[in-house]
Amino acid sequence: MSSRASNPASSADQIDVALIGGGIMSATLGALLKVLEPSWTVRIYERLDAVAQESSNPWNNAGTGHAALCELNYTPQKADGSIDITKAVKINEQFEVSREFWHHLLTTGALPQPASFISRTPHMTFVRGAENVEYLRRRFETLRQHPLFSELEFSDDPAVIAEWAPLLVAERDEDEPVAATRATSGTDVDFGALTQQLVDYLVSQGTQLYLEHEVKNLKKTKDGRWRLTVKDRSWNAPKRRSTVEARFVFVGAGGGALPLLQAAGIPEAKGYGGFPISGEFLRTASPELVAQHQAKVYGKADVGSPPMSVPHLDTRVVEGKTYLMFGPYAGFSPKYLKKGKYLGLFTSLRLHNLGSMVGAGLKNLDLTQYLVGQLLASPETKFTALQGFMPTAHPKDWETITAGQRVQVIKKDEDGKGVLEFGTEVIAAGDGSIAGLLGASPGASTAVPAMIDLLERCFPARFTKWRPELATMIPSLGQAPWEAEELEGLDQLTGGADVDTVGSRA
């Protein structure tokens, strides 16, 4: 795949679709459109010299195939002590939609072998203390009544937990109450590899990829198109600035999406802000440790800590090599992108979102307190958090890596007050000519349903025509996946490196 398209954009260029950002969202939308409208001209603009270098990069995210099998923040406890699984069910359904689309692309040859980007990795939840053990038991009993979570296992026996993940209980105080749940159908996903493979497929089908090209501005033309001003960032650029006109624009630029949507001037973006959060992980490639831990194990965040602070000890498979990773440890940078400008946060401030930003800040003083605590914590204090999961952990085996930037969505609620959202959100213009995606987790895991939602909102007339083909590719679309008879045919392909891991829970 070339570093840029052979013919640089000119003022006369007109295309059907411009995808801004070379991450999993743009790649997913491009793949959907290539199937649904193969004749459309599509172009991808990426400001860096390769795709999947920001949030989609495998070391900038945890690689968890988010299906709510282990994440406690998706199953909050109500005031009466009962467990609300509404969000868990929704996220599980959304991840199934993503897996079914990947399965379709695999069976048609659009993607190579699934082992190159996904592996079966059990998802576990591990808690300590009598109160947390009781909470996990009630969560388990509630979830397992739902068909999507019927395989979930629970144990408060250290011997059983040792069989699942021995590093969690080795040399742990025998008097400390512990409990765990396990779902063996969990997955680890290298979203960087998946993004690259999707883009490779798109380029092979005629999509133009412009690397080291940054969209600097967007302006609506009189005929309803969008004129993009593009800067060639390469050192030997034959022409620094050019323009292209597109009938539809998707801004999938991660933390860079909000400034571009603001530049477009669409009223739907008014009131939105973003709060950037950076992070760190501890990582080891020690063969001895890796061999003893084959799971993604999520714990419970400390009281008052935000959802993104949930600690987890994960198996990670990147470029065929297995690692363990623990974190996250939060940090702060005003950048909206890991490889972006330090003024990102400040240049996004507008009169229409200043109230939202201030209001959300006042409502989330616990987040501020958490970030300050994390920034002031010593390396020894941070390592103690890992030892809470893995009592035998030793600093000599671990290194610190910097994760990607996350920009949490800030918007106005029904009362016009600023609120901080811990999810992803599609913003689309009323005429459907431009849309963008803001937010973080579960992010990449729900890329396919997010982009299908975008298509329905931006192309309502065409979507009626597309629906039958989408339903063929994604059997559970529009219905509960456990009720889709078509899924029964997916279980003939089994194993961690086979298509079953992608398209079915069997």
Side-chain angles (χ1 to χ4, degrees), residues 131-149:
E131 184 177 344
N132 289 332
V133 169
E134 179 56 30
Y135 160 71
L136 189 63
R137 189 191 309 276
R138 282 185 281 111
R139 175 184 183 271
F140 161 72
E141 291 174 347
T142 304
L143 279 175
R144 69 170 178 171
Q145 296 176 34
H146 194 284
L148 291 176
F149 301 93

Side-chain angles (χ1 to χ4, degrees), residues 19 26-36 101 105 198 201-202:
L19 304 176
S26 290
T28 298
L29 181 57
L32 285 165
L33 288 174
K34 183 55 61 177
V35 174
L36 298 170
F101 183 60
L105 294 178
L198 287 170
Y201 160 68
L202 290 172

Side-chain angles (χ1 to χ4, degrees), residues 300-423:
K300 189 173 183 181
D302 293 334
V303 176
S305 298
M308 83 281 288
S309 69
V310 174
H312 45 98
L313 178 61
D314 293 354
T315 295
R316 292 278 5 240
V317 181
V318 177
E319 296 182 349
K321 185 174 181 179
T322 305
Y323 304 79
L324 298 186
M325 186 169 74
F326 177 80
Y329 301 99
F332 175 75
S333 167
K335 290 183 178 182
Y336 268 9
L337 292 166
K338 187 175 181 179
K339 298 181 181 180
K341 298 178 180 179
Y342 280 99
L343 294 178
L345 171 61
F346 307 107
T347 56
S348 73
L349 296 176
R350 302 285 191 280
L351 287 176
H352 62 72
N353 69 10
L354 194 58
S356 301
M357 299 282 280
V358 173
L362 293 175
K363 282 184 179 179
N364 291 274
L365 294 177
D366 57 338
L367 173 58
T368 303
Q369 183 180 4
Y370 165 74
L371 289 175
V372 171
Q374 289 276 288
L375 290 171
L376 296 178
S378 66
E380 292 79 12
T381 299
K382 291 182 177 181
F383 199 80
T384 300
L386 169 57
Q387 290 173 325
F389 259 70
M390 177 185 165
T392 58
H394 194 285
K396 67 178 178 62
D397 296 316
W398 299 81
E399 63 177 337
T400 300
I401 62 171
T402 301
Q405 286 287 102
R406 298 290 182 269
V407 179
Q408 304 298 147
V409 178
I410 294 176
K411 65 178 184 179
K412 293 181 179 179
D413 60 16
E414 295 178 353
D415 299 324
K417 298 179 180 179
V419 293
L420 189 65
E421 292 287 315
F422 295 102

Side-chain angles (χ1 to χ4, degrees), residues 243-317:
T243 59
V244 63
E245 292 184 358
R247 289 193 301 113
F248 174 74
V249 176
F250 171 65
V251 187
L258 178 60
L260 285 172
L261 290 171
Q262 290 175 332
I266 59 173
E268 291 78 8
K270 291 187 180 298
Y272 277 88
F275 186 77
I277 298 176
S278 61
E280 294 180 340
F281 283 93
L282 293 174
R283 181 178 68 183
T284 181
S286 166
E288 180 182 358
L289 297 179
V290 168
Q292 295 181 70
H293 187 86
Q294 298 176 14
K296 288 183 177 291
V297 184
Y298 278 57
K300 189 173 183 181
D302 293 334
V303 176
S305 298
M308 83 281 288
S309 69
V310 174
H312 45 98
L313 178 61
D314 293 354
T315 295
R316 292 278 5 240
V317 181

